[in-house]
Amino acid sequence: MPAIEAWYMATEVKDQTAENRMDPNQPVSPDELRDLGVLQWHILPKGEYPAKAVPWEPKGMQDPDLAAIRAARGYNYADIITCSEECLPDYHNKLKAFFEEHIHSDEEVRYILNGSGYFDVRDREDRWIRIALNAGDLIALPEGIYHRFTMDSKNFTQAMRLFKGVPVWTPINRPADQHLSRQRYQQRFQPLEEERKLRASIVRVLRGFFGQGWCLGSSGACGARLGRDAWLVTPSGVPKELLEPEDLFLVSRSGEQLKMPRKAAKVSDSLTVFSAVFERRSAVAAICHIHSVAAVLAADNGDEVLRIRDCEMIKGLGVPGDGVLALPIIANKATEPELVPELLRALERWETAPAVLVRDHGAYVFGSSLEKAKIGTECLGFILDLESRRRSVEVPRPLKRRRTGAPTVVLLDIEGTTTPISFVKDRLFPYAASAVDAWVKDAPPEVAAAFKKQCQEDKVPFNDAAPQEEIVRLTKEWIAKDRKVSALKDLQGKLWKSGYERQELKGEMFEDTPEAMTGWVASGRRVAIFSSGSREAQRLIFQHSDRGDLTGFISAYFDPKSAQASKQEPKAYEEIALSMGIHPSEGLFCTDVLAEAQAASKAGWRAVLLKRPGNAPLPAHHFREVTNLMDA
């Protein structure tokens, strides 16, 4: 049976009847549609169907496959309509109505008899998916899903509409989040997707820990909240490198096993510890349990607590760089459930402790999300390994660990350096251009003032009579021209902030970016950002990145306004060096733009040029080139 083709839509839709694919195309599989509740079949129409029949009765010409689907799903009503300029009265206004985003209080079922068209549905992140329907395609959209319909460029669709009971075609236009049908949809399908993603993430995390040597044999475990009253927990006895998402247990708050793996297994003994911590600390959403050599060695000191200071990596566990990381240490027991009373006493005494060490056993690390727990565990692994090495070679703590002559500050460009150019050009800029129309209605007066001031500098008129329309026009014009003016950059920062908060945007990072930042900070260097975008926009892209929240690695953000010069002027780098409290020769600037590297070099900074996929070719120069920040 041929599958219905579906794909994610481009942000900007100029012609609703066009395919409107992203570039490159991002297809959507039948399984992904099924996870959203969208069902599909393909049955080639047999016989001749009338152009219109309301209602329609088969009278001996119904296909047996269609009859079976109707019987199984209770579709006892059917009619046939034809959408075309010749057959549908008030055709163009009807198309506009069909394309209004809406839900229904029952399934919407269409069987395409002839012609073609598109259904668009929203995914869980509110992105549009376009579904192409052709003759023989039968689709069922669940009650409560946001969707819309449009013809394609052929402008002809003959379709059978199927319904349970008395048909009700009234659309409920968006916003409809409070409508009972929408709430039922979210209750039915949202948790399934969240559970699927969380299962996959737990497996990914534990496989990574196995690679670090922290979960050898079948040791180690992980637990993560799913909603308020249940958590996913790893099984006992399964090697972590062989762990699969379906191996995890779903356990209720009361301890009932809601979902068990198909394979014969029992839930991890860590469940008792996880449940106790989840009950004690409502902010904890995930716990990682590791068995590392460094954790055992670090806990073998006879103290009740291990204190770590003067180490940048404590930031990864939520401790300020100039603070003290306090890790309670408890005694090991014959079984994990026996650890609970002493562990809870330790958490009561050290209320903000991000982890607990267990002598001759390992560590439990807590996080407000699975990603935070993972980062905390990785940072703890580094810290404890460092502690054990210091002890083994008796390295005095005041000893400088940076190599002589190494830079003390690494200054990073964003576009083409930490982040693909395509994300900025193809995602951020178009998003701002499309979002400004709705956002500008509530824009504060200072936005218009900033745009007017820029127009005065440009010696062009600004229409005071229609400031909102002017802001929209100028925003789109300046984005198209890629202007680097502060009025635009500040507005883009506000638009992107809204997009990140609504989870419509997620900062895209090169794979080596977080690795490099981790290494620099661990070796005592500071990381700063210098980009033409506003400092708020810079912070957002790293806070909401696809590699997790990276802001803990970053000491400062600079834009041309705060640096008092453009990125292609040496003065900017002189000001940044002053702000960071270093001599320019102590700084390293990483960029993909030769003119910026030359400006930094004139100010006394070292500079490295990045050759990334999608970056513009570099002219002849004398700077060092790298393809990876790890080599900078």
Side-chain angles (χ1 to χ4, degrees):
M1 180 181 76
I4 291 175
E5 188 184 8
W7 56 88
Y8 277 106
M9 293 184 68
T11 304
E12 186 176 1
V13 175
K14 295 181 179 178
D15 178 2
Q16 70 185 56
T17 66
E19 291 187 339
N20 289 295
R21 297 176 187 262
M22 299 185 72
D23 184 17
N25 184 45
Q26 292 188 19
V28 178
S29 70
D31 286 342
E32 290 173 294
L33 290 177
R34 194 176 301 111
D35 284 344
L36 295 172
V38 178
L39 304 179
Q40 59 172 288
W41 299 265
H42 186 78
I43 307 167
L44 285 175
K46 297 177 181 178
E48 294 293 328
Y49 289 89
K52 182 177 180 180
V54 182
W56 173 77
E57 294 297 336
K59 297 180 180 178
M61 62 179 293
Q62 187 176 16
D63 183 276
D65 293 329
L66 177 61
I69 293 171
R70 290 187 63 181
R73 298 189 60 81
Y75 301 142
N76 59 342
Y77 173 89
D79 64 23
I80 296 174
I81 60 169
T82 298
C83 293
S84 68
E85 292 193 59
E86 296 76 20
C87 298
L88 186 64
D90 198 17
Y91 175 76
H92 293 288
N93 285 328
K94 288 283 179 62
L95 283 192
K96 289 180 181 178
F98 294 160
F99 203 59
E100 277 290 321
E101 185 175 357
H102 61 280
I103 64 172
H104 289 295
S105 57
D106 209 323
E107 281 187 315
E108 179 161 354
V109 188
R110 295 291 184 273
Y111 175 37
I112 307 302
L113 302 172
N114 201 355
S116 50
Y118 299 121
F119 267 107
D120 300 335
V121 298
R122 291 279 194 184
D123 73 356
R124 290 178 181 83
E125 297 177 1
D126 221 30
R127 298 176 298 174
W128 279 119
I129 296 172
R130 173 146 286 189
I131 306 170
L133 299 178
N134 295 284
D137 290 334
L138 193 161
I139 189 171
L141 306 183
E143 169 196 3
I145 191 172
Y146 280 123
H147 66 282
R148 63 193 182 191
F149 174 79
T150 184
M151 308 290 283
D152 60 15
S153 57
K154 299 174 185 175
N155 282 311
F156 182 84
T157 305
Q158 181 189 17
M160 181 184 298
R161 303 187 296 184
L162 300 167
F163 207 85
K164 299 174 183 177
V166 179
V168 179
W169 308 119
T170 305
I172 304 153
N173 288 346
R174 191 168 188 174
D177 289 348
Q178 303 306 312
H179 194 278
L180 181 60
S181 291
R182 180 61 184 171
Q183 293 177 349
R184 277 201 291 252
Y185 175 80
Q186 291 176 315
Q187 291 169 1
R188 182 180 175 191
F189 293 103
Q190 194 74 23
L192 295 177
E193 175 66 9
E194 291 174 4
E195 180 181 338
R196 183 186 66 79
K197 289 182 177 179
L198 188 56
R199 283 176 178 269
S201 296
I202 290 173
V203 169
R204 172 180 56 83
V205 167
L206 287 175
R207 287 182 178 177
F209 291 170
F210 169 81
Q212 296 278 3
W214 301 339
C215 294
L216 300 180
S218 61
S219 67
C222 183
R225 290 185 191 265
L226 184 66
R228 294 179 56 189
D229 298 318
W231 27 87
L232 286 168
V233 183
T234 44
S236 176
V238 178
K240 300 305 175 282
E241 74 274 22
L242 302 178
L243 191 67
E244 297 292 344
E246 59 268 21
D247 294 334
L248 304 182
F249 285 79
L250 180 62
V251 183
S252 73
R253 191 171 191 167
S254 63
E256 180 187 357
Q257 295 183 4
L258 304 175
K259 289 184 183 178
M260 293 175 285
R262 296 176 185 174
K263 303 174 185 176
K266 75 181 189 73
V267 71
S268 170
D269 285 343
S270 298
L271 170 61
T272 308
V273 176
F274 295 163
S275 297
V277 175
F278 286 144
E279 292 292 345
R280 174 59 61 91
R281 288 187 172 181
S282 59
V284 172
I287 305 169
C288 297
H289 177 40
I290 60 170
H291 292 234
S292 69
V293 173
V296 173
L297 292 175
D300 191 24
N301 62 4
D303 296 331
E304 291 184 346
V305 63
L306 175 66
R307 290 181 172 85
I308 307 292
R309 53 173 57 85
D310 300 325
C311 180
E312 282 288 317
M313 291 293 271
I314 64 177
K315 293 179 180 178
L317 289 121
V319 180
D322 58 353
V324 177
L325 170 63
L327 300 171
I329 302 173
I330 65 174
N332 194 21
K333 302 292 183 182
T335 65
E336 283 192 74
E338 295 176 75
L339 296 173
V340 170
E342 190 176 352
L343 185 144
L344 291 180
R345 283 194 293 270
L347 294 183
E348 185 175 358
R349 183 174 179 183
W350 288 280
E351 295 179 352
T352 60
V356 171
L357 303 181
V358 184
R359 286 192 178 90
D360 303 314
H361 188 139
Y364 295 93
V365 186
F366 320 124
S368 58
S369 67
L370 179 61
E371 189 65 21
K372 291 283 189 182
K374 168 188 171 289
I375 291 172
T377 305
E378 291 172 341
C379 291
L380 181 66
F382 173 89
I383 292 167
L384 298 182
D385 187 46
L386 181 61
E387 286 296 304
S388 65
R389 293 187 189 191
R390 277 177 173 159
R391 293 179 186 180
S392 65
V393 297
E394 297 183 353
V395 178
R397 193 171 282 276
L399 186 66
K400 291 289 184 181
R401 296 181 297 281
R402 269 194 306 267
R403 69 181 186 272
T404 303
T408 61
V409 170
V410 180
L411 184 65
L412 300 173
D413 172 45
I414 295 178
E415 185 180 349
T417 300
T418 65
T419 299
I421 284 179
S422 59
F423 173 72
V424 179
K425 298 290 187 185
D426 302 338
R427 187 78 180 99
L428 286 184
F429 287 178
Y431 181 88
S434 63
V436 68
D437 296 87
W439 186 90
V440 76
K441 297 174 183 176
D442 300 313
E446 55 264 28
V447 174
F451 271 68
K452 182 177 181 179
K453 180 181 177 182
Q454 184 60 50
C455 286
Q456 290 172 343
E457 293 178 9
D458 295 341
K459 297 181 179 179
V460 296
F462 181 88
N463 186 359
D464 289 304
Q468 292 185 359
E469 289 81 353
E470 279 290 84
I471 292 171
V472 171
R473 180 184 68 80
L474 290 169
T475 296
K476 295 182 179 182
E477 178 183 311
W478 291 350
I479 287 175
K481 294 179 179 178
D482 195 18
R483 294 200 65 186
K484 310 292 186 183
V485 293
S486 60
L488 174 62
K489 294 303 178 183
D490 289 343
L491 176 58
Q492 285 176 318
K494 292 178 174 63
L495 296 171
W496 293 333
K497 182 175 187 292
S498 173
Y500 285 117
E501 290 175 346
R502 295 169 61 185
Q503 297 185 340
E504 295 175 347
L505 291 173
K506 188 172 284 289
E508 186 178 343
M509 297 289 145
F510 286 113
E511 185 175 354
D512 55 275
T513 297
E515 296 180 55
M517 287 183 172
T518 301
W520 290 326
V521 171
S523 65
R525 306 180 199 182
R526 288 177 292 163
V527 176
I529 306 299
F530 185 25
S531 174
S532 59
S534 69
R535 288 182 291 175
E536 173 68 2
Q538 297 172 28
R539 185 186 63 79
L540 288 167
I541 197 172
F542 289 103
Q543 180 182 4
H544 300 278
S545 88
D546 57 0
R547 307 286 174 175
D549 185 350
L550 302 179
T551 55
F553 296 110
I554 301 169
S555 299
Y557 302 89
F558 297 94
D559 58 10
K561 185 190 299 184
S562 60
Q564 302 180 36
S566 76
K567 294 178 71 181
Q568 298 187 11
E569 295 178 80
K571 180 185 176 183
Y573 302 92
E574 295 167 359
E575 291 293 333
I576 291 173
L578 287 172
S579 297
M580 299 299 293
I582 63 169
H583 188 274
S585 63
E586 297 179 75
L588 170 68
F589 180 48
C590 302
T591 181
D592 65 313
V593 179
L594 178 57
E596 295 175 2
Q598 291 169 334
S601 180
K602 287 180 181 178
W605 286 66
R606 311 174 205 189
V608 168
L609 285 167
L610 272 294
K611 295 183 69 175
R612 298 286 206 181
N615 286 7
L618 290 166
H621 61 85
H622 66 277
F623 294 98
R624 186 162 59 93
E625 290 185 0
V626 296
T627 59
N628 188 309
L629 284 174
M630 300 290 287
D631 299 329

